Amino acid sequence: EPKQRGFRFRYECEGPSHGGLPGASSEKNRRTYPTVKISNYVGHARVEVQLVTHTDPLASTRTAWWAVHCTENGTCMVDVGPNDLTASFSNLGILHVTKKSASHDRRQPINTQHLRSTESSILKEAKELGKVMDLNIVRLKFTAYLQDSNGGFTRALKPVVSNAIYDSKSPNASNLKISRMDKTCGTVLGGDEIFLLCDKVQKDDIEIRFYEEDEGGWEAFGDFSPTDVHKQYAIVFKTPPYHSAEIERPVTVFLQLKRKKAGDSSDPKQFTLHPSVQGKPRPF
Amino acid sequence: EPKQRGFRFRYECEGPSHGGLPGASSEKNRRTYPTVKISNYVGHARVEVQLVTHTDPLASTRTAWWAVHCTENGTCMVDVGPNDLTASFSNLGILHVTKKSASHDRRQPINTQHLRSTESSILKEAKELGKVMDLNIVRLKFTAYLQDSNGGFTRALKPVVSNAIYDSKSPNASNLKISRMDKTCGTVLGGDEIFLLCDKVQKDDIEIRFYEEDEGGWEAFGDFSPTDVHKQYAIVFKTPPYHSAEIERPVTVFLQLKRKKAGDSSDPKQFTLHPSVQGKPRPF
DNA sequence: AGATGGGGAATCCCCTAGA
DNA sequence: AGATGGGGAATCCCCTAGA
C-alpha cells in the first residue's frame, strides 16, 4: 500500500525525480514502496499500474487527469516470476495533468458534434468536473497479466486498488503541522489567548483539539472564528476550560490541529494547565 | 500623478473592471485619477498613454510586457481642448502580459535567424529579462499631439513620464501591514518576545522598526532572523531596548514593518514600554 | 548527476456586497 | 450589471545540500 499523505503530486514542467511514492510503512532510513504479490501462482507475469479516481476506482475515466511516471523504465509495468511474484514499484511519480491540457486531449462526444464546442467550453467542463471530483486524491490500480501458452501476457487478473493517496500540495490534504505557539501553558479555566503558527490550513475546515490521552478521553476545542485564521498560516484562539476546575497541581494535556472534514490531524503539542485560585488565574 | 502603491496589476484572464488606477491624492470618497495638462496652448489636442519601464522610461521596449486597459473607450487616448487642456484618465487598468505570451509576440532578431531559436529558448530569454527588469514596476508615459493645420494630430510634444507604479500583488511591492500582535507592551530593557501577524513579507527583506516621533528621532530594530519569519505572514521577534533604561513612567513608542531595499513601511502600531525595577521587569 | 525535498512566485479563478 | 476589491487555488520555477 502507498503512504496516504505527505507525497506531493508534480506537474510535468517540474521535471522528473522529485522522489518516488513511498509505501505506507516507509521510514526515513528504511524506505518501502507500493508492492503487490500474485498469490497461488507460479510462472511469469506482468504487473501494470494505473491511476484511478478515489471515488470510483474501477470506472474508466474519459479524461486522463494524472499520469504515472516511472523513472526507471519509462513504462508503468514490471515483469515478475517465475518464483517471486512480488512486484515493487520503487519510483512511482504522480503527475498532475493541467486542466488546460486535459481539455486538449478530450475527444468531442458524438452527440454534441453539431454544436460549436469550443476549446474554452471544454476547458470549462473540465473545471466543473474538477470541482466535483477532487483531482487531488487518487488510487493506484494494479492489474496483473499471467503468461499464456504463447508467451504473451494476456490473461488479466481482477485488478486490485490501493488506498487513497492525497496530494500533499493540495490545501485540503497537506500535512497539518503546528510550528510555534506563543504560550504553552494557561489556566484550567480556559480563555487564554494563544497565537499559533502552522502550515497551511483552510479557515473553514480547521479546529484545534485539546485532549487527554488516558482516563475517559477528555477533549475540547479552541475557541476562534474563521476570521481569526490569519492568511492560512496562523490562528489566534482562546483555550477551552478543562473538564475540572479543581486541580491541585499543573496538568499536561495535548493539542493538535484537526480537519473537520477529512478528520486528519497534526502531531500534538503539549500544553500545561495551571490551577486557578478562587476563580482567578494565579501568576505562573 | 498615479498612486504609487496599492494598485494591483491584472492578467487578461481576470477580466476587465477591477477598478481603475487612482491618482496619488486619491481618497476613499474623493477619487482622483492620473491627469496631465498641456500648458501655454489653446486649441485641440490629443493625449495618449503608454506603459514604460521604470528604469528606462524613454527607451522603446522590444517586447510588450504590459497593456493599458481603458474600459471607457477601448483606446488609450483622449481628446481635449480647445479651452480646457486637462486630460484625466479615470479608468486605466494595467494588464500583466504573461511571459509565455510575451515570448510568442517576439520577432526573431535577424542575426540569430540561422540559429535554432526555439519557442522555449525565447521563453527562457523572456524570463532572464524579467529577472533583471522587474516587471512589477511601470511608469505612465503621456504623449500629447497638437492639431496641425489639416486637423490631424501630428505635432507631438515631448512626452512626460509619471512616477513609478508598483504592482500591489507583487511580493516585493505589496502593501505592508501589521494585522495583530500578541502583546502591545514590554519593558524598557527590551528582549520581550512578540508574535506579529502581517500581510505578505519576504523573509530576507523585512525589518521591524521601533521609533519615537519627536525628540531626536530614536529608532531601533526588532531582533529576529529570516527563519523567524513564518511562511511570509508572521514574525516572531524580540523587542529592542529603549535608548534609556531610566524612565519613571510608561513610554509609548511606535513600530512598523519596513522593507530594507525599497524603504517603504507599514502603518505604525503603538507599543508601550514599562519601567524596569532594578534591572528586572516589573509585572504589569 | 541523480535522489531528495521544499519555499515561494506567477498565473488564474472566483468570492462578497450594495444599489 | 458594472465599479470595486480581495482571498486563495492551480501552476510553475528554482533553491539547498551532501556524496
Side-chain angles (χ1 to χ4, degrees), chain B residues 4-5 137 166 171-176 202 204-209 211 219 221 256-267:
Chain B
Q4 299 207 61
R5 295 179 182 277
I137 313 176
Y166 300 82
N172 62 16
S174 58
N175 268 125
L176 295 174
Q202 293 174 303
D204 293 310
D205 185 27
I206 195 70
E207 56 193 14
I208 299 172
R209 176 174 176 259
Y211 65 99
E219 71 168 16
F221 294 90
Q256 64 184 185
L257 292 170
K258 188 171 180 185
R259 282 202 178 83
K260 296 179 193 170
K261 283 178 197 150
D264 59 317
S265 56
S266 72
D267 284 343

Side-chain angles (χ1 to χ4, degrees), chain A residues 8 10 17-20 31 33 91 100 127 131 169:
Chain A
R8 176 164 156 183
R10 295 287 177 166
S17 102
H18 282 272
R31 293 187 72 85
Y33 300 98
N91 241 321
K100 232 174 224 168
K127 279 172 193 157
K131 247 182 243 165
K169 185 79 168 179

Side-chain angles (χ1 to χ4, degrees), chain A residues 13-39:
Chain A
C13 64
E14 296 190 88
S17 102
H18 282 272
L21 178 64
S25 57
S26 194
E27 313 230 338
K28 269 265 178 55
N29 304 328
R30 274 182 55 86
R31 293 187 72 85
T32 65
Y33 300 98
T35 299
V36 285
K37 184 174 185 176
I38 304 171
S39 308

Side-chain angles (χ1 to χ4, degrees), chain B residues 8 10 14 17-20 31 33 100 127 131 169:
Chain B
R8 176 164 157 184
R10 295 287 177 166
E14 297 191 86
S17 101
H18 283 271
R31 293 187 72 86
Y33 300 98
K100 232 175 225 169
K127 278 172 195 158
K131 248 182 240 165
K169 185 79 168 180

Side-chain angles (χ1 to χ4, degrees), chain A residues 1-2 138-142 160-165:
Chain A
E1 291 282 13
V138 296
R139 294 173 191 270
L140 301 178
K141 177 170 123 185
F142 299 96
V160 295
V161 172
S162 78
N163 52 22
I165 306 164

